[in-house]
Amino acid sequence: MSHPTQHRNKLSFFFSLVKRSLKGEEHDYTQGSIRQAIILLAIPMILELSLESVFAVVDIFFVSRLGSDAMQTVGLTESVITIVYTLGIGLSIGATAMVARRVGEKNIDAAAHTGAQAILMSLLVTIAISIAGVVYAADILKIMKAAPEVIQQGAVFTRIMLGGSLVIILLFLINGIFRGAGDAAMAMRSLWIASAINIVLCPCLINGYGPFPELGLKGAAIATTIGRGIGVLYQCYHLFGGKRIINIKMPHFKWDWAIIKSLVKISWPAVVQFFMGSGSWIMLSRLVAEIGGKDASSGYQIAIRNVVFFILPAWGLSNAAATLVGQNLGAKQSWRAEKSVLLTTKYNVFFISLVVALFVIFPGAIISIFTNETQVHYYSVQALRVIGTGYIFYGVGMVMIQALNGAGDTRTPTLINLAGFWFFQIPLAYLLAKGLGWGPMGAFVSIPVAETAMAIAAWILFKRGNWKKVVV
């Protein structure tokens, strides 16, 4: 009887950890079981980014009913708007690293001050982006090789999405502050709210259900922006409410050049780092649209949305490693930081292995959910199966990259991305697609090949241990 009882006790303990992680109880992540620390952080982080991935899939699901022109508009706009995501992620990495260090040092007021300075910096950055997006929406689609009819119908979608850059960046940034503090549950809830509102509003505003007007593609952009905006309001309510780990007050917003310089020092390589990735995505999207036309472009965008849907939960697990690294380095426990990363990598590879099976064995069934157009379906299945072959390496690489970022060593991942994406992936894609005549398949193949090489490089550099010496 002892074995069943022991099994039930372990299961009961696991569910108690899940309950604690979802409630967002305070926990010292520099002490106690590392396995428990990963579970407490990873569950809300996985759920947080699962909901972020729902944003991408919900939009393409409803928009796909509007035809290939609409799908290409969304895909090309999202390719460009990844630059905004890049800024948000880069700024959030700087905030997470610095807030985590201060929390690890048990200096909560300094953590709050850092968060406030990060918000100030993000507001200045976002204004210019929003204005440029509103004014040059049609030109952006033209640069991305969109068909003339796509530009004519889709410019309003692009204009609204880029005009709402403020809520995108704040959503990323403030969640980075919460994650650095170890308050992963709050970051999760804000994405839940934003995504739930988008799921409800998207079909209503596209199709004109109930009292809502039928706005078509424009409605998808409005729904997404409103959802994210309400998510940001929810974040601010708790960030300034005084009941969470981080409690920002007005004096914290007094401009502090020392903090701003430190944030810039960590964030700008992180922005460049993710720009390397998003810029590569833009180049590949442009290449596929140029050599394969609307069908290949639409198929590729559907495949990428599905890749993102499954990558983001794995990225959530990687974010747990970043928080654990930052807080444990702040507590002068580099051995514990390294052990946390290795254990997180093990869990991520297990999860990713299940996803690989889905992508390689059942791509047709997955893509059929989104489109039945023969050529679009064909290209999308090709892309999903090929990209899926490198998924396990993505799992290793993303944990290593986030661990380095969490330590404040954002320059090393930047160099990895520069070499991997711009000196390897893009030239390889053009060589295979145009030079060897593989067409869109050449672009698809370049993705897992480059990601595998980058994962190996990240692992080697992490094991060298120079990240343990970074001062934040």
Side-chain angles (χ1 to χ4, degrees):
M1 294 294 292
S2 60
H3 292 297
T5 302
Q6 187 178 29
H7 178 72
R8 283 196 299 270
N9 287 339
K10 286 183 177 179
L11 197 61
S12 176
F13 180 66
F14 174 76
F15 282 117
S16 72
L17 284 178
V18 173
K19 184 177 179 181
R20 285 174 56 194
S21 71
L22 296 179
K23 286 180 66 177
E25 296 177 359
E26 280 195 46
H27 182 81
D28 187 349
Y29 294 104
T30 63
Q31 303 293 329
S33 167
I34 294 176
R35 192 182 302 272
Q36 289 183 32
I38 293 173
I39 293 172
L40 288 170
L41 282 172
I43 288 175
M45 287 182 178
I46 289 170
L47 292 174
E48 172 198 347
L49 289 181
S50 295
L51 268 295
E52 175 63 23
S53 67
V54 168
F55 259 119
V57 175
V58 165
D59 282 352
I60 204 69
F61 177 80
F62 290 114
V63 169
S64 65
R65 273 52 185 171
L66 300 177
S68 61
D69 286 355
M71 284 191 289
Q72 188 183 32
T73 299
V74 173
L76 294 179
T77 299
E78 285 292 331
S79 297
V80 174
I81 214 168
T82 49
I83 296 173
V84 179
Y85 298 152
T86 294
L87 286 169
I89 292 170
L91 291 170
S92 74
I93 284 173
T96 297
M98 290 189 66
V99 168
R101 285 290 184 104
R102 303 293 85 82
V103 171
E105 295 164 356
K106 313 302 185 216
N107 192 345
I108 304 302
D109 188 68
H113 184 55
T114 299
Q117 297 302 302
I119 291 172
L120 276 178
M121 190 168 66
S122 70
L123 291 174
L124 294 177
V125 170
T126 310
I127 293 172
I129 297 173
S130 297
I131 293 173
V134 170
V135 175
Y136 298 108
D139 297 298
I140 289 169
L141 289 175
K142 189 180 297 182
I143 291 171
M144 291 298 295
K145 299 292 185 181
E149 61 270 23
V150 171
I151 297 172
Q152 183 178 358
Q153 296 176 23
V156 65
F157 177 88
T158 306
R159 187 170 291 114
I160 293 170
M161 292 295 289
L162 289 174
S165 297
L166 175 64
V167 292
I168 296 174
I169 288 181
L170 285 178
L171 198 61
F172 278 113
L173 174 68
I174 297 175
N175 272 356
I177 295 170
F178 283 132
R179 283 194 297 268
D183 196 355
M186 184 52 60
M188 172 194 70
R189 289 172 195 159
S190 65
L191 260 296
W192 277 8
I193 290 171
S195 189
I197 291 170
N198 182 51
I199 291 170
V200 172
L201 285 183
C202 200
C204 291
L205 290 176
I206 289 175
N207 301 308
Y209 295 149
F212 297 95
E214 183 178 348
L215 300 176
L217 188 57
K218 178 181 177 181
I222 293 173
T224 300
T225 303
I226 289 175
R228 285 179 171 141
I230 293 176
V232 170
L233 292 176
Y234 178 81
Q235 289 175 324
C236 292
Y237 174 78
H238 288 281
L239 195 62
F240 306 125
K243 295 181 180 180
R244 310 304 299 181
I245 299 169
I246 297 292
N247 177 25
I248 294 180
K249 301 175 182 177
M250 286 308 298
H252 290 139
F253 283 103
K254 184 178 180 181
W255 191 264
D256 188 328
W257 274 111
I259 299 293
I260 293 293
K261 287 178 181 177
S262 295
L263 281 167
V264 170
K265 182 180 177 182
I266 298 171
S267 295
W268 81 257
V271 170
V272 174
Q273 172 192 146
F274 281 88
F275 178 76
M276 296 298 168
S278 59
S280 172
W281 182 16
I282 292 172
M283 292 297 293
L284 291 185
S285 295
R286 188 179 185 277
L287 175 62
V288 171
E290 182 182 349
I291 62 179
K294 283 194 297 184
D295 289 337
S297 178
S298 299
Y300 175 65
Q301 298 303 336
I302 292 173
I304 286 294
R305 289 300 183 96
N306 279 277
V307 169
V308 169
F309 180 79
F310 287 101
I311 269 188
L312 284 177
W315 195 264
L317 188 56
S318 304
N319 282 339
T323 297
L324 289 170
V325 166
Q327 291 199 11
N328 282 291
L329 288 180
K332 312 298 182 187
Q333 298 182 127
S334 59
W335 64 270
R336 183 180 171 90
E338 182 171 1
K339 189 174 180 181
S340 300
V341 174
L342 297 178
L343 191 55
T344 304
T345 303
K346 178 181 176 181
Y347 295 155
N348 219 19
V349 167
F350 174 76
F351 168 75
I352 289 291
S353 299
L354 301 177
V355 178
V356 169
L358 286 175
F359 282 3
V360 175
I361 300 173
F362 305 111
I366 293 171
I367 298 304
S368 293
I369 297 172
F370 300 92
T371 182
N372 290 315
E373 294 185 35
T374 305
Q375 283 301 304
V376 175
H377 188 277
Y378 168 76
Y379 283 114
S380 195
V381 168
Q382 273 194 330
L384 193 60
R385 180 176 280 128
V386 170
I387 295 170
T389 59
Y391 225 72
I392 290 176
F393 287 96
Y394 305 164
V396 174
M398 66 178 63
V399 176
M400 296 297 111
I401 292 293
Q402 284 300 83
L404 294 170
N405 285 329
D409 181 14
T410 51
R411 296 194 178 201
T412 298
T414 301
L415 293 174
I416 292 172
N417 282 10
L418 175 63
F421 287 125
W422 289 86
F423 295 160
F424 184 46
Q425 185 187 73
I426 294 174
L428 178 63
Y430 274 85
L431 172 65
L432 296 177
K434 289 189 169 183
L436 299 182
W438 289 20
M441 177 61 79
F444 304 158
V445 169
S446 70
I447 296 173
V449 173
E451 290 284 357
T452 300
M454 291 162 62
I456 294 171
W459 173 268
I460 293 171
L461 292 171
F462 174 80
K463 292 299 288 182
R464 286 184 180 176
N466 292 334
W467 53 272
K468 299 175 184 178
K469 305 171 187 177
V470 175
V471 177
V472 174

